[in-house]
Amino acid sequence: MSLLKAVTPEEAKKGVWVSIPNPSARRVAKALTQSGRRVHHSTVARWRAQDWRPVAHSLHPLDAARQALDMAAGVLTGDPLARVEILSRKDGSQQELEGLSDRELLRESSREMLIAVRLVSHVLPSQLPHLMATKTMETATLLNALNAGLRAAADGLEKFHHLPGQAGHAVNDQQ
């Protein structure tokens, strides 16, 4: 589910690197981030070190954060295949999402991420003392995934507010 196009090495090189005087990975990342296309300077540095090789496939930040949270949630359930959905008994309908605009889908994806973070955050406190004593690294991974999920959801909601409303969808977007 690619909602907003992620930055590519080609865009970083041709769009920014060659157009600014005395370019650096930090300056390129800052310029892209300022334009609403968040990328970390170490990512730009890695792309440059790899001679701006194209990325095979990159996930949208919300997708990547959800994937990280799903993988890290196994520490709470003891099941490496368990995903965040196991913490909730609520089923979602893919067919509902197909009719949504990009703006609505971004809002919905951000909300789903916040719900997933909330589900994990609800279960975590009761298990935290045991997890910290027995699975410190796994717990750290889970906490990092929670942080990434919150950041991705916040970024998604911010972008949602900056995307223009679409006719017929404006009322639903403001609910």
Side-chain angles (χ1 to χ4, degrees):
M1 148 180 59
S2 219
L3 301 174
L4 295 178
K5 194 172 132 190
V7 177
T8 65
E10 183 178 347
E11 289 173 311
K13 179 184 178 187
K14 292 181 180 175
V16 182
W17 187 274
V18 298
S19 68
I20 62 175
N22 197 18
S24 70
R26 287 184 188 274
R27 287 188 192 105
V28 170
K30 186 173 184 177
L32 288 164
T33 299
Q34 286 295 109
S35 71
R37 309 278 307 282
R38 179 173 278 176
V39 64
H40 197 271
H41 66 89
S42 63
T43 302
V44 175
R46 184 178 66 250
W47 289 341
R48 182 172 180 246
Q50 295 174 346
D51 199 27
W52 306 100
R53 184 179 52 150
V55 176
H57 173 53
S58 64
L59 294 173
H60 185 275
L62 279 169
D63 293 328
R66 179 55 186 252
Q67 188 177 68
L69 191 56
D70 280 339
M71 288 189 297
V75 74
L76 295 174
T77 62
D79 180 0
L81 300 177
R83 297 175 53 153
V84 171
E85 285 86 19
I86 203 163
L87 302 175
S88 169
R89 302 297 175 221
K90 187 170 133 180
D91 289 307
S93 173
Q94 286 292 87
Q95 293 170 346
E96 284 180 35
L97 299 176
E98 290 177 11
L100 298 178
S101 68
D102 286 349
R103 186 171 193 264
E104 292 169 320
L105 192 56
L106 182 58
R107 179 179 165 269
E108 190 65 30
S109 295
S110 297
R111 284 184 40 113
E112 286 177 10
M113 175 55 68
L114 289 172
I115 290 167
V117 166
R118 176 64 182 107
L119 287 170
V120 171
S121 297
H122 182 72
V123 173
L124 183 61
S126 65
Q127 296 186 28
L128 196 55
H130 173 72
L131 291 174
M132 289 300 294
T134 61
K135 298 180 180 182
T136 307
M137 293 301 293
E138 294 87 347
T139 304
T141 299
L142 177 61
L143 293 175
N144 285 333
L146 283 171
N147 181 43
L150 282 172
R151 284 180 144 181
D155 289 348
L157 289 173
E158 183 178 335
K159 288 176 184 170
F160 162 78
H161 288 293
H162 290 95
L163 285 175
Q166 296 170 339
H169 295 288
V171 174
N172 290 339
D173 288 348
Q174 294 176 0
Q175 292 178 351

